[in-house]
Amino acid sequence: MRNCDLLVTNGLVVDAHHGVREDFALAVAGNRLIEVGPSKELASQYRAERTLDASGKAILPGLINAHSHASATLFRGYASDVSGKGFFDRMWRIEALLTDEDVYVGALAGCLEMIKNGVTGFANHFSHMDQVARAVEETGIRAGLSRTMLDRGESGDARREVEEGVRFAERWAGRCPRIQPMLGPHAAYTCSDELLRLAAEEARRTGLMLHIHVAESPHEQELMSRRTGTTTVQHLEQLNFFSENRVLGAHALLLDDQDLALLSENDFHAVICATGKMNRGQGIADLPRMLGAGINVCLGTDGSASDNLDLLMAMKVTYIAQNHLHQQVQALSPETILGMATANAADALGWEMGRIAPGQLADFILVDTRRPQLRPLITRPRSNVVFNLVYYATGADVDTVVIDGKLVMENRQVRTVDEDRVLDDLQEHAQRLWQQAEL
């Protein structure tokens, strides 16, 4: 008999690469999956510190929210009736009021919400990023964190902004194994060329990944055309932004053929936040076209001012949006959509996860399939398992969450934080901010 820390048995293992495996088990040692196989075999081979019976549950890789603003839980519903410039005017007014404690409280709530929705890792863009890192440490979630660099075109602030972003990355490099610092220039249309150049240079010097909003709205398209005479992507290319850098590009909504060609030649990874963009009437990204150009596509939720933090729901919206855009059924397969929320995002962020396989980081979730909307669940002669999970499941169906080999949620109870206190604090801080912003 071999020893392991956690053995999960009798589950329906599902991922985008291996498909559906019935009555399977996972063995975990430390923070890694060490074996995946039939339940009877692993049960006879391993002596575990803790065993979980996954009967009636699907075991999926942990979901990865590849673009978010976790602390924006404070702003849920605050800018629901505006888009483009009106949205930013309202959001920047309230964000200017944020304190460190506000951002910490909002991030705690965001991490809590993501864990309860089966998100085991996320990429985040925001201010006061040390406070978001503090919330990540406490809740047990995994994160790629970038302190937003923003000078609104005033190049006099560019060097200071980039230096602040680099200092954040230096403070957190190696400090917590679940935190990956990144550099986060906000966007080409909100940053001076000087800031964008400096950020790209620092990314090349340090090896840090860049996380930036790219081609996200008609408002941006108009501003960039007026200011530069070209598109966001082509302007960034002229600034040498992509060269020798890995770039996580949020939204990638409005791309012409030349944009796609440029991005496909670089280490660029697109993050699609379909729900928020459709909600604001900004459009639908053409994902088959993007995938056909060889671009890695991931899924995100954006911030709670635009969307919720339910990536299972985002998978459904993305699936429907592509069918609507292309006027055909299954424009993208459910397996492709699931891969965007797991393996594709893991590959973009350089995380060894996103698949249920030996050697992967032990980030996975158990989804309760004994829910009316998920039944019947059929594996043969024709399987509906992946479709049902992508189309019908929501975050409320997630029962158990394991992150870095640790049981973070069980029976929908998060073990790392006091949920009532987190929500009470969120209510108090949000109420004060909303009142101050309207004075």
Side-chain angles (χ1 to χ4, degrees):
M1 294 285 283
R2 287 173 282 177
N3 294 324
C4 67
D5 297 311
L6 177 65
L7 187 65
V8 185
T9 61
N10 307 315
L12 187 67
V13 172
V14 182
D15 70 18
H17 283 75
H18 303 95
V20 179
R21 291 169 282 180
E22 296 182 77
D23 196 15
F24 256 52
L26 319 177
V28 177
N31 68 345
R32 297 276 174 174
L33 296 174
I34 57 171
E35 193 162 351
V36 179
S39 285
K40 286 184 179 179
E41 289 184 16
L42 267 64
S44 67
Q45 295 171 4
Y46 283 93
R47 182 186 300 109
E49 291 289 326
R50 174 76 193 275
T51 299
L52 291 179
D53 182 0
S55 298
K57 296 179 177 68
I59 306 172
L60 275 68
L63 306 178
I64 301 173
N65 185 352
H67 177 69
S68 65
H69 309 282
S71 299
T73 50
L74 292 158
F75 312 136
R76 181 171 279 129
Y78 180 71
S80 60
D81 58 336
V82 287
S83 186
K85 183 178 184 299
F87 175 79
F88 283 111
D89 287 346
R90 190 177 299 180
M91 292 308 302
W92 282 338
R93 184 168 68 244
I94 196 169
E95 286 181 12
L97 302 170
L98 288 168
T99 65
D100 279 355
E101 193 65 15
D102 291 330
V103 173
Y104 167 66
V105 166
L108 270 181
C111 292
L112 171 67
E113 183 179 349
M114 283 190 273
I115 290 167
K116 298 204 76 160
N117 286 328
V119 173
T120 62
F122 68 105
N124 199 71
H125 215 296
F126 212 68
S127 61
H128 303 259
M129 191 52 64
D130 289 283
Q131 302 307 315
V132 180
R134 177 183 162 202
V136 169
E137 275 195 308
E138 291 182 23
T139 55
I141 201 168
R142 191 181 304 279
L145 303 180
S146 46
R147 186 260 190 199
T148 298
M149 305 170 182
L150 177 67
D151 62 4
R152 304 190 194 180
E154 300 295 332
S155 59
D157 295 330
R159 187 168 296 278
R160 177 183 58 79
E161 283 291 303
V162 173
E163 288 173 352
E164 285 292 330
V166 172
R167 279 197 288 269
F168 164 77
E170 290 172 345
R171 283 195 297 275
W172 286 91
R175 182 166 162 181
C176 171
R178 290 177 286 100
I179 291 177
Q180 173 185 336
M182 301 189 291
L183 296 181
H186 181 267
Y189 71 106
T190 56
C191 294
S192 67
D193 289 354
E194 179 69 7
L195 190 155
L196 295 167
R197 285 194 194 94
L198 288 170
E201 288 169 6
E202 285 299 321
R204 282 187 284 273
R205 181 183 70 82
T206 60
L208 294 169
M209 189 172 184
L210 289 160
H211 184 184
I212 185 172
H213 300 81
V214 173
E216 66 169 321
S217 69
H219 173 62
E220 173 184 354
Q221 192 175 43
E222 179 187 346
L223 286 178
M224 290 302 293
S225 177
R226 192 185 320 140
R227 183 178 120 198
T228 70
T230 188
T231 69
T232 291
V233 170
Q234 290 161 46
H235 184 64
L236 289 171
E237 175 69 11
Q238 291 167 6
L239 297 176
N240 210 29
F241 187 82
F242 299 111
S243 178
E244 299 179 46
N245 283 325
R246 173 164 287 199
V247 178
L248 191 67
H251 307 301
L253 182 65
L254 300 167
L255 304 174
D256 66 21
D257 289 343
Q258 188 175 345
D259 294 337
L260 283 176
L262 285 170
L263 294 177
S264 67
E265 293 168 359
N266 289 285
D267 193 1
F268 178 85
H269 305 262
V271 187
I272 304 306
C273 306
T275 309
K277 289 300 161 189
M278 290 172 65
N279 180 47
R280 298 198 182 282
Q282 294 174 334
I284 301 171
D286 189 338
L287 301 191
R289 177 170 169 260
M290 204 177 293
L291 292 167
I295 295 171
N296 182 38
V297 177
C298 319
L299 296 188
T301 65
D302 212 359
S304 297
S306 299
D307 196 359
N308 60 27
L309 298 172
D310 186 343
L311 207 61
L312 280 164
M313 186 180 294
M315 285 196 285
K316 174 178 181 173
V317 172
T318 304
Y319 180 85
I320 292 172
Q322 295 306 302
N323 291 349
H324 173 76
L325 181 66
H326 290 275
Q327 294 292 288
Q328 69 177 78
V329 67
Q330 207 164 106
L332 290 176
S333 72
E335 290 80 6
T336 298
I337 299 289
L338 177 60
M340 291 175 179
T342 53
N344 290 19
D347 292 347
L349 290 160
W351 295 348
E352 294 177 310
M353 53 185 287
R355 302 158 181 85
I356 303 294
Q360 294 274 284
L361 287 166
D363 286 28
F364 58 89
I365 63 175
L366 274 58
V367 177
D368 184 0
T369 66
R370 294 192 62 80
R371 309 275 286 190
Q373 76 275 16
L374 292 175
R375 292 288 171 152
L377 210 58
I378 308 295
T379 57
R380 61 178 67 86
R382 181 189 297 274
S383 176
N384 67 353
V385 174
V386 181
F387 175 79
N388 281 16
L389 289 168
V390 168
Y391 197 84
Y392 295 112
T394 71
D397 301 320
V398 177
D399 177 85
T400 299
V401 174
V402 174
I403 304 173
D404 212 40
K406 295 180 174 58
L407 201 55
V408 175
M409 183 174 82
E410 186 176 12
N411 299 321
R412 289 208 57 77
Q413 297 301 307
V414 176
R415 298 154 63 104
T416 52
V417 293
D418 182 334
E419 183 171 344
D420 287 338
R421 181 184 63 80
V422 170
L423 297 181
D424 287 346
D425 288 348
L426 178 71
Q427 182 71 27
E428 178 184 337
H429 282 253
Q431 185 70 60
R432 174 183 54 76
L433 283 167
W434 286 43
Q435 288 174 339
Q436 288 179 346
E438 295 303 312
L439 292 177

